Amino acid sequence: MEGMSGRVLYLDPFSGIAGDMFLGLLLDLGVDEQKLVEAFEQLDVRFDFAVSRVNKSGIAAVSTSVTLPDDDEEADEAEHAGGEEHTHEHEHLHVHAHEHEHTHEHEHVHEHDHDADGEEESERHGHGMEVDEITAILDRLDEPARTKAKEMFASLLEAEAAVHGTTADSVHLHEAGAIDAIVEIVGAVKGLEALGVDRVVCGLVNTGTGFAKMAHGLYPVPAPATAELLKGIPVRMDSFSDTRKELVTPTGALILKHLVDEFAPISMTVERVGYGAGKRDLAVPNVLRGFLGRSSSAETAKRLLLLESNIDNMNPELYGHLMEVLYERGALDVFFTAVQMKKNRPATRVSVLGELHSKDVLVETLMQESTTLGVRVTYPERYEAEREIVDVQTPLGAARVKVARYGGDTVNVSPEYETCRKLAADCGVPLKEVYTIVLQAAREQLGETGGTR
């Protein structure tokens, strides 16, 4: 597609997100299953990875599952030492044998105290995995997947530690849940790499509501560790009966936290639509939908907030101070516009552009530093050109220009004011002529064309 650049994946988690759903989505979008298997084989851990196509409320979707061989199977294999071939689709190496029903209602992640009853806890919940064991497994990956996977697992441990009031190195993971998470994290990282995705954007995340049964009893949805990982992520928590279920798992939240670049609407040209199947049966299809395509704005669109207030009773001397304070507290842009209010009173519209995380402090600043009684908030998108400062040589001396590129094309070349002003003063040449000289030199040096702004 001429003029388009940046492969983007847009996630639509209307029915939640889990690690197995994300893997199914990637496979449905075209990831070669063998590529994932090759990545799993690097882990040198035995498990069964199954892929199937299922129907979820009328939608064809790809389902994945991870299971561990049971004790009888392990014993049989040890006895026959390579005799009978295993019948599962993909079989890799073994850490511990343990029966596990892969339901994705929750992931079996538990923290155990290092005290007298720690052994009893381990017996109740099966084999545990130490942090060092997991790190050793992830260290077998190649880069950059190794670093990203370890970073994601570190977040999971920190979330569990925060919930239980302990430290990350004290958290033990149930073996089946740990292998599950390892496979889903590694598959997510390697799958995106295989798709050649430059940017992942996500819509509003449906977490579900209600309670989920876990090893320590009934826990609210989202589960505590999941809730920790969802900090900073826009979610909705429907109270309808059909979504009073756990729809986001810890690995699903990890994918959102570490692999999604932005949570915002997006304009894109869709090439493929895929569906990853969940394990729930709901009134709505329990699938993760994804759109794969290209967008010229994929690397430049950014969701911002715009605060506005019309003021007709403030001393004009205060506006300069208001602008300074707003910039100090994170505003990206501040501008004033003359407007007419009711009864034809002249007034000033104060407009403040900022990033989403700055909303509270910027609203508070407007309330404290101006006489406004209210602030309007909207959420525009801003599309930015890539910018680069380049030094060019001119007959008058060195000068700096700003080069702007969008969609791979140079769209603007602008001489920098301060360097042009200095050249004008040093050489006794009118500033407007300096601009012309610098622009011409920049075009010749860069071999590109562009306009000033």
Side-chain angles (χ1 to χ4, degrees):
M1 287 173 288
E2 187 175 349
M4 302 293 284
S5 65
R7 201 169 204 202
V8 61
L9 171 61
Y10 182 80
L11 301 178
D12 180 19
F14 65 87
S15 190
I17 179 173
D20 62 335
M21 296 170 75
F22 190 73
L23 289 189
L25 170 63
L26 295 178
L27 290 166
D28 202 30
L29 288 173
V31 170
D32 185 351
E33 184 180 338
Q34 186 59 33
K35 292 289 186 183
L36 293 186
V37 172
E38 290 172 0
F40 297 153
E41 286 174 343
Q42 292 182 19
L43 300 173
D44 198 26
V45 175
R46 171 171 246 172
F47 58 87
D48 300 323
F49 177 62
V51 177
S52 61
R53 183 162 288 275
V54 298
N55 188 292
K56 303 295 290 185
S57 302
I59 294 179
V62 174
S63 174
T64 68
S65 64
V66 177
T67 55
L68 302 186
D70 60 29
D71 292 323
D72 292 337
E73 178 182 313
E74 180 190 14
D76 182 67
E77 289 184 356
E79 180 179 348
H80 296 288
E84 185 177 354
E85 187 179 12
H86 210 283
T87 59
H88 289 284
E89 293 185 29
H90 303 296
E91 183 181 292
H92 310 288
L93 101 102
H94 175 61
V95 177
H96 299 306
H98 182 79
E99 293 184 359
H100 173 54
E101 182 180 357
H102 188 78
T103 64
H104 265 288
E105 295 203 3
H106 59 86
E107 296 182 1
H108 304 265
V109 180
H110 308 291
E111 179 269 336
H112 308 300
D113 293 330
H114 296 282
D115 57 16
D117 62 1
E119 184 177 349
E120 182 180 349
E121 277 284 275
S122 295
E123 290 174 358
R124 282 201 304 267
H125 300 300
H127 301 294
M129 291 190 72
E130 300 284 351
V131 175
D132 290 346
E133 291 181 75
I134 296 167
T135 300
I137 292 172
L138 297 177
D139 276 336
R140 296 165 188 157
L141 292 169
D142 52 13
E143 292 290 3
R146 179 197 306 150
T147 297
K148 176 58 73 172
K150 290 173 70 174
E151 175 186 303
M152 293 172 72
F153 233 105
S155 288
L156 176 61
L157 296 175
E158 289 167 3
E160 286 290 334
V163 169
H164 296 295
T166 184
T167 59
D169 57 1
S170 299
V171 175
H172 290 199
L173 304 184
H174 184 283
E175 180 210 3
I179 297 299
D180 234 14
I182 289 172
V183 173
E184 291 171 355
I185 288 171
V186 172
V189 173
K190 298 297 286 189
L192 284 179
E193 181 182 304
L195 273 184
V197 171
D198 298 311
R199 189 169 181 81
V200 181
V201 183
C202 186
L204 200 60
V205 181
N206 186 4
T207 67
T209 57
F211 294 86
K213 185 177 181 181
M214 301 185 184
H216 300 292
L218 287 176
Y219 275 59
V221 172
T226 304
E228 285 290 319
L229 293 167
L230 288 173
K231 289 179 178 177
I233 294 173
V235 302
R236 64 185 176 94
M237 301 181 184
D238 288 344
S239 59
F240 303 115
S241 59
D242 60 302
T243 55
R244 288 186 64 81
K245 304 284 187 181
E246 183 182 24
L247 300 184
V248 176
T249 65
T251 48
L254 281 173
I255 290 167
L256 296 174
K257 184 179 182 68
H258 290 273
L259 300 182
V260 172
D261 297 289
E262 187 174 9
F263 296 87
I266 189 173
S267 299
M268 64 182 292
T269 299
V270 177
E271 297 174 350
R272 299 195 67 171
V273 180
Y275 298 90
K279 300 297 189 291
R280 298 286 191 186
D281 289 320
L282 306 173
V284 297
N286 186 212
V287 296
L288 174 63
R289 181 164 64 170
F291 299 85
L292 184 67
R294 294 188 179 275
S295 171
S296 59
S297 63
E299 297 178 344
T300 56
K302 189 171 186 179
R303 188 90 178 272
L304 300 176
L305 62 88
L306 177 63
L307 308 178
E308 291 188 316
S309 183
N310 294 345
I311 303 174
D312 64 358
N313 62 346
M314 192 165 90
N315 184 341
E317 294 177 342
L318 301 179
Y319 283 102
H321 175 72
L322 174 63
M323 178 180 286
E324 291 178 5
V325 175
L326 287 167
Y327 277 125
E328 290 172 359
R329 297 184 181 176
L332 300 176
D333 198 6
V334 180
F335 51 98
F336 304 138
T337 307
V339 295
Q340 298 296 123
M341 293 179 63
K342 60 184 179 181
K343 299 183 180 179
N344 206 30
R345 290 198 300 264
T348 299
R349 174 174 297 161
V350 178
S351 301
V352 183
L353 197 65
E355 296 183 343
L356 298 181
H357 64 80
S358 300
K359 181 175 73 172
D360 291 343
V361 67
L362 293 177
V363 170
E364 183 179 7
T365 300
L366 283 171
M367 291 294 188
Q368 292 177 341
E369 298 289 347
S370 76
T371 59
T372 186
L373 298 178
V375 177
R376 299 183 299 277
V377 184
T378 56
Y379 297 91
E381 288 184 10
R382 181 169 74 175
Y383 296 86
E384 299 178 356
E386 296 178 7
R387 304 164 195 180
E388 179 186 9
I389 301 297
V390 177
D391 292 322
V392 299
Q393 296 299 321
T394 78
L396 303 177
R400 307 182 78 196
V401 298
K402 181 183 295 181
V403 181
R405 296 184 176 88
Y406 190 83
D409 299 323
T410 298
V411 295
N412 207 356
V413 179
S414 294
E416 288 285 86
Y417 169 76
E418 288 298 335
T419 57
C420 290
R421 184 185 65 79
K422 187 176 186 302
L423 286 177
D426 292 345
C427 302
V429 179
L431 181 59
K432 63 180 181 180
E433 293 184 21
V434 173
Y435 263 81
T436 301
I437 293 170
V438 172
L439 181 59
Q440 182 60 36
R443 288 175 171 172
E444 292 175 356
Q445 180 174 319
L446 298 172
E448 300 169 329
T449 59
T452 58
R453 64 178 181 188

mmCIF file of all heavy atoms in Angstrom, residues 368-403:
data_model
loop_
_atom_site.group_PDB
_atom_site.id
_atom_site.type_symbol
_atom_site.label_atom_id
_atom_site.label_comp_id
_atom_site.label_asym_id
_atom_site.label_seq_id
_atom_site.Cartn_x
_atom_site.Cartn_y
_atom_site.Cartn_z
ATOM 1 N N GLN A 368 -7.158 26.172 41.003
ATOM 2 C CA GLN A 368 -6.440 26.955 42.005
ATOM 3 C C GLN A 368 -5.925 28.285 41.469
ATOM 4 O O GLN A 368 -5.923 29.294 42.175
ATOM 5 C CB GLN A 368 -5.262 26.145 42.554
ATOM 6 C CG GLN A 368 -5.665 24.937 43.395
ATOM 7 C CD GLN A 368 -4.468 24.126 43.841
ATOM 8 O OE1 GLN A 368 -3.380 24.228 43.278
ATOM 9 N NE2 GLN A 368 -4.662 23.294 44.855
ATOM 10 N N GLU A 369 -5.459 28.301 40.237
ATOM 11 C CA GLU A 369 -4.748 29.459 39.712
ATOM 12 C C GLU A 369 -5.602 30.381 38.838
ATOM 13 O O GLU A 369 -5.120 31.414 38.385
ATOM 14 C CB GLU A 369 -3.532 29.005 38.901
ATOM 15 C CG GLU A 369 -2.496 28.233 39.705
ATOM 16 C CD GLU A 369 -1.745 29.122 40.688
ATOM 17 O OE1 GLU A 369 -1.840 30.370 40.576
ATOM 18 O OE2 GLU A 369 -1.070 28.571 41.582
ATOM 19 N N SER A 370 -6.856 29.999 38.582
ATOM 20 C CA SER A 370 -7.746 30.863 37.807
ATOM 21 C C SER A 370 -9.051 31.032 38.567
ATOM 22 O O SER A 370 -9.246 30.432 39.637
ATOM 23 C CB SER A 370 -8.015 30.267 36.418
ATOM 24 O OG SER A 370 -8.945 29.195 36.499
ATOM 25 N N THR A 371 -9.959 31.803 37.984
ATOM 26 C CA THR A 371 -11.256 32.020 38.644
ATOM 27 C C THR A 371 -12.361 31.152 38.052
ATOM 28 O O THR A 371 -13.541 31.394 38.284
ATOM 29 C CB THR A 371 -11.665 33.500 38.524
ATOM 30 O OG1 THR A 371 -11.753 33.859 37.137
ATOM 31 C CG2 THR A 371 -10.658 34.405 39.216
ATOM 32 N N THR A 372 -11.991 30.141 37.301
ATOM 33 C CA THR A 372 -12.998 29.286 36.684
ATOM 34 C C THR A 372 -13.779 28.500 37.728
ATOM 35 O O THR A 372 -13.274 28.197 38.822
ATOM 36 C CB THR A 372 -12.330 28.303 35.696
ATOM 37 O OG1 THR A 372 -13.363 27.593 35.013
ATOM 38 C CG2 THR A 372 -11.455 27.295 36.431
ATOM 39 N N LEU A 373 -15.006 28.147 37.368
ATOM 40 C CA LEU A 373 -15.847 27.318 38.224
ATOM 41 C C LEU A 373 -16.029 25.916 37.658
ATOM 42 O O LEU A 373 -16.676 25.075 38.272
ATOM 43 C CB LEU A 373 -17.221 27.981 38.409
ATOM 44 C CG LEU A 373 -17.206 29.359 39.089
ATOM 45 C CD1 LEU A 373 -18.610 29.929 39.160
ATOM 46 C CD2 LEU A 373 -16.599 29.250 40.480
ATOM 47 N N GLY A 374 -15.451 25.680 36.487
ATOM 48 C CA GLY A 374 -15.598 24.358 35.878
ATOM 49 C C GLY A 374 -14.644 24.185 34.712
ATOM 50 O O GLY A 374 -14.201 25.158 34.101
ATOM 51 N N VAL A 375 -14.342 22.931 34.417
ATOM 52 C CA VAL A 375 -13.399 22.604 33.343
ATOM 53 C C VAL A 375 -14.012 21.508 32.469
ATOM 54 O O VAL A 375 -14.488 20.491 32.978
ATOM 55 C CB VAL A 375 -12.049 22.107 33.912
ATOM 56 C CG1 VAL A 375 -11.102 21.707 32.776
ATOM 57 C CG2 VAL A 375 -11.403 23.175 34.800
ATOM 58 N N ARG A 376 -14.018 21.738 31.165
ATOM 59 C CA ARG A 376 -14.489 20.720 30.213
ATOM 60 C C ARG A 376 -13.302 19.849 29.801
ATOM 61 O O ARG A 376 -12.197 20.343 29.585
ATOM 62 C CB ARG A 376 -15.104 21.375 28.974
ATOM 63 C CG ARG A 376 -16.317 22.243 29.275
ATOM 64 C CD ARG A 376 -16.930 22.801 27.992
ATOM 65 N NE ARG A 376 -15.983 23.650 27.266
ATOM 66 C CZ ARG A 376 -15.768 24.929 27.538
ATOM 67 N NH1 ARG A 376 -16.397 25.503 28.551
ATOM 68 N NH2 ARG A 376 -14.921 25.622 26.811
ATOM 69 N N VAL A 377 -13.565 18.547 29.648
ATOM 70 C CA VAL A 377 -12.501 17.606 29.277
ATOM 71 C C VAL A 377 -12.927 16.821 28.037
ATOM 72 O O VAL A 377 -14.011 16.259 28.003
ATOM 73 C CB VAL A 377 -12.197 16.611 30.417
ATOM 74 C CG1 VAL A 377 -11.024 15.713 30.028
ATOM 75 C CG2 VAL A 377 -11.896 17.347 31.718
ATOM 76 N N THR A 378 -12.072 16.828 27.032
ATOM 77 C CA THR A 378 -12.262 15.990 25.852
ATOM 78 C C THR A 378 -10.961 15.233 25.600
ATOM 79 O O THR A 378 -9.912 15.563 26.166
ATOM 80 C CB THR A 378 -12.639 16.817 24.608
ATOM 81 O OG1 THR A 378 -11.640 17.824 24.383
ATOM 82 C CG2 THR A 378 -13.983 17.488 24.795
ATOM 83 N N TYR A 379 -11.050 14.225 24.741
ATOM 84 C CA TYR A 379 -9.893 13.358 24.515
ATOM 85 C C TYR A 379 -9.574 13.277 23.019
ATOM 86 O O TYR A 379 -9.931 12.310 22.349
ATOM 87 C CB TYR A 379 -10.153 11.966 25.092
ATOM 88 C CG TYR A 379 -10.347 11.989 26.593
ATOM 89 C CD1 TYR A 379 -11.625 12.128 27.139
ATOM 90 C CD2 TYR A 379 -9.264 11.898 27.450
ATOM 91 C CE1 TYR A 379 -11.804 12.169 28.515
ATOM 92 C CE2 TYR A 379 -9.440 11.935 28.823
ATOM 93 C CZ TYR A 379 -10.712 12.073 29.353
ATOM 94 O OH TYR A 379 -10.892 12.118 30.716
ATOM 95 N N PRO A 380 -8.896 14.277 22.503
ATOM 96 C CA PRO A 380 -8.545 14.255 21.074
ATOM 97 C C PRO A 380 -7.357 13.347 20.806
ATOM 98 O O PRO A 380 -6.626 12.956 21.710
ATOM 99 C CB PRO A 380 -8.174 15.721 20.794
ATOM 100 C CG PRO A 380 -7.601 16.193 22.108
ATOM 101 C CD PRO A 380 -8.413 15.496 23.177
ATOM 102 N N GLU A 381 -7.168 12.996 19.528
ATOM 103 C CA GLU A 381 -5.964 12.292 19.093
ATOM 104 C C GLU A 381 -5.040 13.301 18.438
ATOM 105 O O GLU A 381 -5.483 14.203 17.730
ATOM 106 C CB GLU A 381 -6.291 11.194 18.089
ATOM 107 C CG GLU A 381 -6.984 9.998 18.685
ATOM 108 C CD GLU A 381 -7.195 8.900 17.653
ATOM 109 O OE1 GLU A 381 -6.624 9.023 16.557
ATOM 110 O OE2 GLU A 381 -7.923 7.947 17.946
ATOM 111 N N ARG A 382 -3.742 13.134 18.661
ATOM 112 C CA ARG A 382 -2.762 13.986 17.992
ATOM 113 C C ARG A 382 -1.865 13.107 17.136
ATOM 114 O O ARG A 382 -1.340 12.096 17.601
ATOM 115 C CB ARG A 382 -1.920 14.768 19.010
ATOM 116 C CG ARG A 382 -0.907 15.683 18.323
ATOM 117 C CD ARG A 382 -0.262 16.640 19.283
ATOM 118 N NE ARG A 382 0.710 15.992 20.150
ATOM 119 C CZ ARG A 382 1.476 16.652 21.020
ATOM 120 N NH1 ARG A 382 1.347 17.956 21.133
ATOM 121 N NH2 ARG A 382 2.330 15.996 21.769
ATOM 122 N N TYR A 383 -1.686 13.514 15.902
ATOM 123 C CA TYR A 383 -0.806 12.804 14.982
ATOM 124 C C TYR A 383 0.467 13.621 14.813
ATOM 125 O O TYR A 383 0.415 14.787 14.423
ATOM 126 C CB TYR A 383 -1.492 12.589 13.636
ATOM 127 C CG TYR A 383 -2.709 11.696 13.757
ATOM 128 C CD1 TYR A 383 -3.953 12.226 14.094
ATOM 129 C CD2 TYR A 383 -2.600 10.326 13.569
ATOM 130 C CE1 TYR A 383 -5.062 11.407 14.235
ATOM 131 C CE2 TYR A 383 -3.700 9.499 13.711
ATOM 132 C CZ TYR A 383 -4.930 10.042 14.034
ATOM 133 O OH TYR A 383 -6.014 9.231 14.184
ATOM 134 N N GLU A 384 1.578 13.011 15.130
ATOM 135 C CA GLU A 384 2.843 13.731 15.138
ATOM 136 C C GLU A 384 3.763 13.233 14.032
ATOM 137 O O GLU A 384 3.884 12.033 13.803
ATOM 138 C CB GLU A 384 3.556 13.537 16.485
ATOM 139 C CG GLU A 384 2.772 14.061 17.674
ATOM 140 C CD GLU A 384 3.500 13.807 18.981
ATOM 141 O OE1 GLU A 384 4.568 13.160 18.945
ATOM 142 O OE2 GLU A 384 3.009 14.237 20.027
ATOM 143 N N ALA A 385 4.435 14.176 13.377
ATOM 144 C CA ALA A 385 5.487 13.816 12.439
ATOM 145 C C ALA A 385 6.757 13.503 13.230
ATOM 146 O O ALA A 385 6.986 14.057 14.309
ATOM 147 C CB ALA A 385 5.743 14.966 11.469
ATOM 148 N N GLU A 386 7.556 12.585 12.713
ATOM 149 C CA GLU A 386 8.860 12.337 13.318
ATOM 150 C C GLU A 386 9.743 13.559 13.074
ATOM 151 O O GLU A 386 9.745 14.124 11.980
ATOM 152 C CB GLU A 386 9.502 11.093 12.688
ATOM 153 C CG GLU A 386 8.734 9.816 12.949
ATOM 154 C CD GLU A 386 9.380 8.621 12.271
ATOM 155 O OE1 GLU A 386 10.501 8.796 11.724
ATOM 156 O OE2 GLU A 386 8.782 7.545 12.276
ATOM 157 N N ARG A 387 10.491 13.945 14.105
ATOM 158 C CA ARG A 387 11.275 15.176 14.007
ATOM 159 C C ARG A 387 12.749 14.896 14.245
ATOM 160 O O ARG A 387 13.108 14.098 15.096
ATOM 161 C CB ARG A 387 10.779 16.200 15.031
ATOM 162 C CG ARG A 387 9.299 16.502 14.894
ATOM 163 C CD ARG A 387 8.748 17.198 16.108
ATOM 164 N NE ARG A 387 7.294 17.151 16.108
ATOM 165 C CZ ARG A 387 6.542 17.674 17.054
ATOM 166 N NH1 ARG A 387 7.102 18.249 18.096
ATOM 167 N NH2 ARG A 387 5.234 17.591 16.973
ATOM 168 N N GLU A 388 13.574 15.608 13.484
ATOM 169 C CA GLU A 388 15.020 15.462 13.611
ATOM 170 C C GLU A 388 15.678 16.824 13.411
ATOM 171 O O GLU A 388 15.318 17.557 12.480
ATOM 172 C CB GLU A 388 15.531 14.464 12.571
ATOM 173 C CG GLU A 388 17.037 14.257 12.597
ATOM 174 C CD GLU A 388 17.522 13.369 11.472
ATOM 175 O OE1 GLU A 388 16.714 13.058 10.570
ATOM 176 O OE2 GLU A 388 18.715 13.012 11.481
ATOM 177 N N ILE A 389 16.611 17.165 14.273
ATOM 178 C CA ILE A 389 17.375 18.403 14.135
ATOM 179 C C ILE A 389 18.656 18.094 13.365
ATOM 180 O O ILE A 389 19.408 17.192 13.745
ATOM 181 C CB ILE A 389 17.713 19.020 15.498
ATOM 182 C CG1 ILE A 389 16.430 19.329 16.279
ATOM 183 C CG2 ILE A 389 18.557 20.275 15.336
ATOM 184 C CD1 ILE A 389 15.540 20.347 15.626
ATOM 185 N N VAL A 390 18.898 18.836 12.289
ATOM 186 C CA VAL A 390 20.047 18.602 11.421
ATOM 187 C C VAL A 390 20.866 19.883 11.309
ATOM 188 O O VAL A 390 20.303 20.979 11.152
ATOM 189 C CB VAL A 390 19.590 18.141 10.015
ATOM 190 C CG1 VAL A 390 20.783 17.969 9.088
ATOM 191 C CG2 VAL A 390 18.799 16.845 10.119
ATOM 192 N N ASP A 391 22.191 19.761 11.387
ATOM 193 C CA ASP A 391 23.090 20.906 11.179
ATOM 194 C C ASP A 391 23.435 20.995 9.699
ATOM 195 O O ASP A 391 23.811 19.990 9.073
ATOM 196 C CB ASP A 391 24.368 20.735 12.005
ATOM 197 C CG ASP A 391 24.117 20.837 13.501
ATOM 198 O OD1 ASP A 391 23.285 21.678 13.887
ATOM 199 O OD2 ASP A 391 24.733 20.085 14.265
ATOM 200 N N VAL A 392 23.317 22.189 9.132
ATOM 201 C CA VAL A 392 23.652 22.398 7.720
ATOM 202 C C VAL A 392 24.665 23.537 7.613
ATOM 203 O O VAL A 392 24.717 24.436 8.467
ATOM 204 C CB VAL A 392 22.404 22.725 6.878
ATOM 205 C CG1 VAL A 392 21.413 21.577 6.922
ATOM 206 C CG2 VAL A 392 21.735 24.012 7.344
ATOM 207 N N GLN A 393 25.458 23.482 6.565
ATOM 208 C CA GLN A 393 26.433 24.528 6.301
ATOM 209 C C GLN A 393 25.863 25.486 5.252
ATOM 210 O O GLN A 393 25.382 25.060 4.207
ATOM 211 C CB GLN A 393 27.744 23.918 5.803
ATOM 212 C CG GLN A 393 28.442 23.036 6.834
ATOM 213 C CD GLN A 393 28.824 23.811 8.088
ATOM 214 O OE1 GLN A 393 29.254 24.965 8.018
ATOM 215 N NE2 GLN A 393 28.661 23.160 9.239
ATOM 216 N N THR A 394 25.946 26.796 5.544
ATOM 217 C CA THR A 394 25.446 27.820 4.630
ATOM 218 C C THR A 394 26.578 28.817 4.347
ATOM 219 O O THR A 394 27.594 28.835 5.062
ATOM 220 C CB THR A 394 24.255 28.577 5.249
ATOM 221 O OG1 THR A 394 24.740 29.541 6.212
ATOM 222 C CG2 THR A 394 23.294 27.607 5.938
ATOM 223 N N PRO A 395 26.423 29.662 3.332
ATOM 224 C CA PRO A 395 27.431 30.703 3.069
ATOM 225 C C PRO A 395 27.626 31.656 4.256
ATOM 226 O O PRO A 395 28.666 32.307 4.361
ATOM 227 C CB PRO A 395 26.867 31.437 1.855
ATOM 228 C CG PRO A 395 26.008 30.431 1.166
ATOM 229 C CD PRO A 395 25.406 29.619 2.266
ATOM 230 N N LEU A 396 26.643 31.711 5.150
ATOM 231 C CA LEU A 396 26.744 32.590 6.322
ATOM 232 C C LEU A 396 27.316 31.884 7.540
ATOM 233 O O LEU A 396 27.633 32.534 8.536
ATOM 234 C CB LEU A 396 25.357 33.143 6.669
ATOM 235 C CG LEU A 396 24.626 33.916 5.552
ATOM 236 C CD1 LEU A 396 23.241 34.342 6.024
ATOM 237 C CD2 LEU A 396 25.438 35.133 5.126
ATOM 238 N N GLY A 397 27.436 30.550 7.477
ATOM 239 C CA GLY A 397 27.897 29.776 8.619
ATOM 240 C C GLY A 397 26.967 28.607 8.901
ATOM 241 O O GLY A 397 25.990 28.367 8.174
ATOM 242 N N ALA A 398 27.252 27.872 9.979
ATOM 243 C CA ALA A 398 26.431 26.707 10.329
ATOM 244 C C ALA A 398 25.073 27.136 10.869
ATOM 245 O O ALA A 398 24.956 28.148 11.567
ATOM 246 C CB ALA A 398 27.156 25.849 11.366
ATOM 247 N N ALA A 399 24.058 26.361 10.546
ATOM 248 C CA ALA A 399 22.697 26.638 11.034
ATOM 249 C C ALA A 399 22.012 25.310 11.316
ATOM 250 O O ALA A 399 22.411 24.251 10.799
ATOM 251 C CB ALA A 399 21.913 27.451 10.025
ATOM 252 N N ARG A 400 20.965 25.353 12.102
ATOM 253 C CA ARG A 400 20.209 24.151 12.434
ATOM 254 C C ARG A 400 18.830 24.226 11.790
ATOM 255 O O ARG A 400 18.202 25.293 11.745
ATOM 256 C CB ARG A 400 20.067 24.003 13.955
ATOM 257 C CG ARG A 400 21.381 24.067 14.711
ATOM 258 C CD ARG A 400 21.154 23.859 16.194
ATOM 259 N NE ARG A 400 20.960 22.448 16.496
ATOM 260 C CZ ARG A 400 20.438 21.985 17.642
ATOM 261 N NH1 ARG A 400 20.025 22.836 18.556
ATOM 262 N NH2 ARG A 400 20.329 20.693 17.856
ATOM 263 N N VAL A 401 18.369 23.075 11.303
ATOM 264 C CA VAL A 401 17.025 23.000 10.739
ATOM 265 C C VAL A 401 16.301 21.811 11.362
ATOM 266 O O VAL A 401 16.923 20.826 11.768
ATOM 267 C CB VAL A 401 17.053 22.851 9.202
ATOM 268 C CG1 VAL A 401 17.704 24.063 8.557
ATOM 269 C CG2 VAL A 401 17.749 21.571 8.785
ATOM 270 N N LYS A 402 14.996 21.916 11.406
ATOM 271 C CA LYS A 402 14.164 20.814 11.897
ATOM 272 C C LYS A 402 13.537 20.132 10.698
ATOM 273 O O LYS A 402 12.850 20.776 9.894
ATOM 274 C CB LYS A 402 13.080 21.337 12.842
ATOM 275 C CG LYS A 402 12.189 20.245 13.422
ATOM 276 C CD LYS A 402 11.088 20.823 14.299
ATOM 277 C CE LYS A 402 11.645 21.496 15.533
ATOM 278 N NZ LYS A 402 10.560 22.031 16.403
ATOM 279 N N VAL A 403 13.771 18.829 10.591
ATOM 280 C CA VAL A 403 13.229 18.031 9.497
ATOM 281 C C VAL A 403 12.090 17.182 10.039
ATOM 282 O O VAL A 403 12.263 16.461 11.033
ATOM 283 C CB VAL A 403 14.315 17.135 8.868
ATOM 284 C CG1 VAL A 403 13.728 16.324 7.711
ATOM 285 C CG2 VAL A 403 15.496 17.978 8.388
#
